[in-house]
Amino acid sequence: MGSNSAANNGSTGVGRRDLIKRSAALGLISVPTMSFLSACASGGGDDSTDDSQGKTSKSNPFGVQKNSKLDVVIFKGGYGDDYAKAWETSFQKKWGVTSTHTGTQEITGKLQPRFNAGNPPDIVDDSGAQQIPIDVLHKNGQLLDLAAVLDAPSIDDPSKKVRDTLIPGTLDAGMQENKVVALNYIYTVWGLWYSGKLFKEKGWEEPKTWADFLAICKDAKSQGIGGLAHQGKYPYYINVAIMDLIAKKGGLDAMKAIDNLDPKAFVGSEAAQAGVEAIYEVVEKGYLMPGTNGLTHTESQTRWNQYKAAFITCGSWLENEQLKQTPDDFDMKFMPMPLLPDSKLPYEAIRAGSGEPFIIPAKAKNLPAAKEFMRMMLSREWSTLFAKEANSLTIVKDGVDTNVQLRPGTQSTVVASKAAGDNTFRYLYTEWYSEMGTAIENASNELMAKRIQPKEWLKRAQAAVDKQAKDPASKKNHRD
Amino acid sequence: MRKGQYRFVAGFLFVPVALYLIFVIWPYVQTFGYSLTDWKGQSQTFKFVGLDNYKALFQDDIFMGAIWHNILFLVFIPVITILLALFFAFMLNAGGRGRAGGVAGVAGSKFYKVVYFFPQVLSLAIMAVLFGAVYRSDSGGMLNGVLIKLGLVDAENPVEWLNEPSLVLWALILVVVWHGVGFYLVLFSAAMQSIPRDIYEAALIDGAGRAQSFFRITLPLLWESVQTAWVYLGIAAMDMFILVSTMTSGDYGGGPDHHSEVMATVMMRNFLLYGKSGYACAMGVIMLLLTLIVSVVMLRATRRDRIEF
């Protein structure tokens, strides 16, 4: 009875079962590493320049060649990619350049092999969770210096340079080592958000000071509503609140100290201490929406849409992201971070800047057309196309035709931006130092869960800064 | 073998072996090469730095912590999964004591066998979403919802399962075990069914109870399957990338504050986010070595005389 594998064993030495077992084991070992390893497989070879260079003229400053091809890769996230298709149609009409369009979320997966093989696309919207970090691309010498595009005449007004038609400061986020290598196209403001409807119902006013903010949180808690919600699984969001408080309390100097890796950026900085202690007060008094520390961005934002919290911290993509979850009468409203006592910046000051980096790879095959494409992105016509398709503002000054109607949240950011005027600020360390940013975010996660105190947070943040300062490459980044 | 047979066999083997060399072995070699450089991941310019990456690796607290977590997984995941699977398989196949003289599973064992297998047909990505809802950190989570209703947890302070350093690893182990038990149950069941009934019946006549027939008969005769299960589960425990990176906080997971970090998540973060690709390749090499060592040790340690029947 039973199997007769003994007979098989006798002749071959290794049993069938053994063989299968071992080879399966060997195969499995390779699984965890294989997908990663295949990413390393390098291609080689140089790109040969084809005839994409045409004659230059006043209306064709880069010399776009008719009938050439343009390779466009767009991050297909919250903004979709219909706007880019509309652009490409318009581009083909004007220049006779056909484009291959790729809309994807897997920027890294699709493009890393192409960058390594020296065969990148011509223009890329390098965004989303799987973006290739700009600092990494730049360090590898893969990015074109965009000065040529920015110094070219504007399409709307050829007497002006393109860079003079943009909202001031919006190019900063794309700077690496004092060169603009990424065009952050979407104009974004960061701060707190609330429901106009809820506030009206409860008789709350937009709080201008931190004390007023805490008072509303207290009142909300007594009525069974959370005070502040944040997207706890991604500490990036609460970090925005902490860093905004620091910048508003200590002024631009406090912000630059952090970006410039000052040895007293956190430990020994009064503003940093005040900022982090203020946030911790919210935690200590139990004003956080219960459970918010562990929620993803969609979970917490949806809870907030269901009136489970008075405030949430986010950037201006929030409205577009929550379109489906927001009740019709929610009346989404944006507000600047409330002020701590003796703050250097006024209440109206907001973190404002640009997101969604567009890049032109240095080794792009059709550079003239890519540059022209970017120049046209910065025209009023294309900016309006974008606002229509993606429901967001661009960095082009007055870049949206007045007859385009905006949603309440986006409209409130327009009002807030106008009120802020020149009082805007924007951290750059997140763009320059991915590793340091992650370390500070981790500390914030611990702070929100009450596992560390503000003092320890300051120490850990400072340690991250000091570690980054030791990297010789960081000497090349500096802002005045 | 007869003349010409070798050529015949080699002809069939050529393509798979070539594929294996190109897509498995060659990347390993390349990874090792890259691990000796300061490659930043997005271009083919890099410098040779010798063993610097490996030296840095052993001073990297985060990576060392990740190795430790993998070791914890390595201990707990196989032990818990195999014990549970063995117990259930035994109950389903030989645990019943209904009919006189017969050896059968508990009542309804056929039904249970199908039910236990359900988790196995779900992909890990779906499992991550599913258990994300189970562990959700507010009253909307399945666990928290039930515990709050029962009054065991304060609604103001729900348990943040995946955001608690002391709970997060256990929460992850539970997912893997839940996923794995069904498969190994079927594996062990199949092996148990090939054990001749007469042996059980003989034991029964001699007055053996359930425990005795399990430890004296079932387990020794199942040893090969247990050994296989052990190797598979050990390898899964060395990986854990999908669950950790999707369920826990942080870029590529590993949170809170690196308390659930595994080697693969640290490697991905360094490779893609920080642009330290050469360094990440060194991690990959260490991962490969450790996994190989684990497999060899497990196969050796569990080797026993084969029982043929």
Side-chain angles (χ1 to χ4, degrees):
Chain A
M1 178 168 275
S3 86
N4 54 358
S5 68
N8 291 344
N9 284 354
S11 59
T12 53
V14 183
R16 184 161 33 96
R17 260 186 281 178
D18 262 340
L19 191 71
I20 292 168
K21 204 160 63 189
R22 277 179 206 163
S23 52
L26 202 70
L28 269 184
I29 296 167
S30 57
V31 170
T33 25
M34 200 167 66
S35 58
F36 159 70
L37 290 164
S38 59
C40 293
S42 58
D46 282 319
D47 50 325
S48 55
T49 45
D50 54 7
D51 40 8
S52 55
Q53 181 65 46
K55 275 199 186 122
T56 58
S57 69
K58 223 175 200 173
S59 60
N60 186 6
F62 307 115
V64 177
Q65 176 75 32
K66 211 180 163 190
N67 295 329
S68 61
K69 285 212 159 56
L70 188 70
D71 189 344
V72 185
V73 177
I74 299 291
F75 168 66
K76 194 177 176 178
Y79 301 111
D81 65 344
D82 288 341
Y83 67 87
K85 284 180 188 156
W87 287 349
E88 285 159 32
T89 314
S90 155
F91 197 70
Q92 187 179 7
K93 229 180 255 166
K94 182 163 180 192
W95 296 106
V97 172
T98 48
S99 40
T100 31
H101 175 94
T102 313
T104 179
Q105 302 219 351
E106 303 162 18
I107 297 289
T108 294
K110 291 232 160 85
L111 295 189
Q112 190 176 28
R114 294 189 59 185
F115 273 114
N116 270 289
N119 175 32
D122 297 314
I123 190 160
V124 182
D125 168 11
D126 181 21
S127 308
Q130 299 181 41
Q131 74 160 176
I132 310 179
I134 299 294
D135 55 337
V136 172
L137 275 177
H138 173 70
K139 273 188 205 145
N140 283 286
Q142 294 284 11
L143 298 179
L144 187 79
D145 180 355
L146 300 177
V149 179
L150 298 169
D151 291 331
S154 153
I155 291 195
D156 297 324
D157 179 2
S159 67
K160 275 187 184 167
K161 283 181 185 175
V162 167
R163 70 166 81 232
D164 297 329
T165 65
L166 308 178
I167 297 172
T170 48
L171 291 174
D172 293 354
M175 294 237 280
Q176 297 281 342
E177 300 174 2
N178 298 318
K179 276 186 274 181
V180 179
V181 292
L183 181 79
N184 284 263
Y185 187 63
I186 297 176
Y187 185 69
T188 310
V189 294
W190 287 263
L192 291 177
W193 297 76
Y194 62 91
S195 153
K197 184 195 169 203
L198 183 71
F199 270 51
K200 214 182 214 172
E201 245 170 49
K202 304 284 176 195
W204 296 330
E205 293 273 322
E206 192 174 289
K208 297 226 166 8
T209 67
W210 195 249
D212 291 347
F213 169 79
L214 291 175
I216 291 181
C217 288
K218 190 178 177 189
D219 193 28
K221 194 189 176 189
S222 69
Q223 304 183 43
I225 303 171
L228 177 70
H230 73 109
Q231 300 81 338
K233 197 179 172 196
Y234 307 103
Y236 160 86
Y237 294 85
I238 196 63
N239 237 20
V240 170
I242 299 175
M243 291 296 172
D244 280 10
L245 281 171
I246 294 174
K248 287 177 91 160
K249 167 89 181 170
L252 297 181
D253 291 337
M255 171 185 74
K256 286 173 190 165
I258 296 171
D259 284 343
N260 289 334
L261 308 178
D262 192 286
K264 280 187 177 170
F266 289 104
V267 174
S269 156
E270 213 179 290
Q273 191 178 343
V276 71
E277 279 175 355
I279 289 288
Y280 193 65
E281 211 178 331
V282 178
V283 182
E284 230 178 6
K285 292 192 168 153
Y287 295 160
L288 286 180
M289 179 173 82
T292 193
N293 289 336
L295 296 184
T296 66
H297 58 300
T298 38
E299 285 168 353
S300 56
Q301 286 161 193
T302 304
R303 282 294 199 193
W304 169 75
N305 275 146
Q306 295 163 347
Y307 309 107
K308 300 275 196 232
F311 301 96
I312 195 164
T313 153
C314 199
S316 49
W317 59 83
L318 177 68
E319 184 167 45
N320 213 45
E321 197 166 47
Q322 294 300 105
L323 270 185
K324 282 189 195 136
Q325 286 78 19
T326 310
D328 288 337
D329 58 350
F330 189 78
D331 192 19
M332 198 180 284
K333 282 269 174 10
F334 169 83
M335 61 172 277
M337 278 308 278
L339 278 193
L340 292 169
D342 305 319
S343 281
K344 292 227 171 95
L345 296 182
Y347 166 70
E348 287 78 16
I350 44 175
R351 182 194 296 221
S354 38
E356 204 86 355
F358 280 75
I359 54 168
I360 301 180
K363 289 179 192 149
K365 291 259 181 357
N366 196 348
L367 277 178
K371 287 181 192 165
E372 181 61 29
F373 194 86
M374 192 171 267
R375 188 170 79 113
M376 289 189 71
M377 279 168 63
L378 298 171
S379 69
R380 201 153 191 242
E381 187 197 336
W382 281 27
S383 166
T384 305
L385 270 180
F386 183 84
K388 261 194 226 155
E389 300 282 354
N391 191 36
S392 290
L393 306 178
T394 73
I395 58 170
V396 181
K397 226 187 275 174
D398 295 321
V400 182
D401 274 332
T402 39
N403 54 16
V404 174
Q405 181 141 34
L406 299 166
R407 293 184 158 272
T410 311
Q411 186 57 42
S412 73
T413 61
V414 173
V415 174
S417 308
K418 271 203 185 123
D422 288 340
N423 276 316
T424 62
F425 57 91
R426 170 82 195 255
Y427 284 94
L428 293 180
Y429 76 90
T430 44
E431 250 69 31
W432 287 347
Y433 311 119
S434 317
E435 197 170 352
M436 170 180 139
T438 309
I440 300 178
E441 282 174 16
N442 266 330
S444 300
N445 186 37
E446 294 297 280
L447 183 85
M448 298 315 280
K450 266 197 203 175
R451 284 192 288 270
I452 62 172
Q453 310 291 309
K455 234 186 196 160
E456 177 68 14
W457 186 90
L458 290 167
K459 259 191 227 157
R460 287 178 60 161
Q462 187 66 48
V465 168
D466 295 345
K467 189 180 170 203
Q468 190 64 53
K470 273 188 204 137
D471 180 0
S474 62
K475 296 240 162 26
K476 293 183 202 155
N477 285 316
H478 189 84
R479 68 190 295 195
D480 303 305
Chain B
M1 279 189 201
R2 258 167 280 130
K3 208 182 147 202
Q5 218 171 11
Y6 279 113
R7 223 184 300 162
F8 183 70
V9 170
F12 275 107
L13 280 179
F14 178 75
V15 173
V17 169
L19 284 176
Y20 192 73
L21 283 177
I22 293 170
F23 291 109
V24 179
I25 303 299
W26 177 234
Y28 279 140
V29 175
Q30 277 192 315
T31 306
F32 183 70
Y34 280 130
S35 75
L36 303 174
T37 69
D38 66 348
W39 185 41
K40 294 185 191 71
Q42 300 292 346
S43 76
Q44 288 298 311
T45 47
F46 42 76
K47 281 201 302 281
F48 181 76
V49 294
L51 292 174
D52 284 6
N53 284 332
Y54 290 92
K55 274 181 221 153
L57 208 55
F58 288 101
Q59 281 151 21
D60 186 338
D61 291 340
I62 296 171
F63 188 67
M64 286 297 141
I67 293 185
W68 175 239
H69 295 147
N70 274 121
I71 292 174
L72 286 179
F73 284 142
L74 192 61
V75 172
F76 287 104
I77 289 175
V79 170
I80 299 175
T81 312
I82 290 176
L83 284 182
L84 279 177
L86 270 178
F87 173 73
F88 287 133
F90 182 71
M91 291 311 278
L92 292 186
N93 286 293
R97 279 290 187 270
R99 284 153 291 161
V103 177
V106 293
S109 62
K110 274 189 185 146
F111 173 71
Y112 288 133
K113 229 180 265 183
V114 174
V115 170
Y116 280 129
F117 201 71
F118 279 162
Q120 189 63 34
V121 301
L122 299 178
S123 79
L124 277 174
I126 294 174
M127 300 268 303
V129 175
L130 198 68
F131 274 86
V134 170
Y135 292 136
R136 194 178 149 141
S137 61
D138 66 359
S139 54
M142 195 187 97
L143 281 176
N144 273 318
V146 171
L147 290 173
I148 288 172
K149 284 263 155 64
L150 292 176
L152 294 173
V153 165
D154 174 16
E156 289 292 305
N157 290 302
V159 185
E160 293 166 2
W161 301 98
L162 295 169
N163 194 30
E164 282 290 338
S166 53
L167 291 179
V168 61
L169 289 178
W170 295 108
L172 290 166
I173 287 175
L174 182 78
V175 179
V176 184
V177 169
W178 187 77
H179 184 234
V181 163
F183 176 79
Y184 293 101
L185 179 145
V186 171
L187 183 82
F188 295 151
S189 277
M192 276 181 197
Q193 270 155 16
S194 73
I195 297 175
R197 283 268 149 96
D198 355 357
I199 304 186
Y200 281 114
E201 279 162 12
L204 210 61
I205 291 164
D206 289 345
R210 279 179 192 174
Q212 270 175 321
S213 51
F214 176 77
F215 284 107
R216 298 282 170 86
I217 300 169
T218 316
L219 194 57
L221 292 177
L222 275 187
W223 195 250
E224 267 188 55
S225 303
V226 172
Q227 197 185 2
T228 311
W230 196 280
V231 173
Y232 281 169
L233 285 164
I235 289 164
M238 294 299 280
D239 177 21
M240 289 295 286
F241 176 74
I242 297 176
L243 282 185
V244 174
S245 66
T246 47
M247 292 182 69
T248 61
S249 66
D251 298 298
Y252 298 103
D257 198 27
H258 307 300
H259 282 290
S260 67
E261 208 81 76
V262 290
M263 288 186 281
T265 55
V266 184
M267 177 176 81
M268 283 301 265
R269 198 176 307 116
N270 277 281
F271 188 77
L272 292 176
L273 197 66
Y274 298 165
K276 293 171 155 185
S277 306
Y279 186 51
C281 285
M283 292 182 188
V285 172
I286 297 292
M287 261 179 88
L288 170 70
L289 279 180
L290 288 179
T291 313
L292 274 178
I293 292 171
V294 164
S295 321
V296 170
V297 167
M298 279 182 169
L299 282 172
R300 294 267 150 170
T302 53
R303 176 179 284 180
R304 282 204 183 174
D305 288 334
R306 158 192 295 267
I307 302 162
E308 295 295 341
F309 48 84

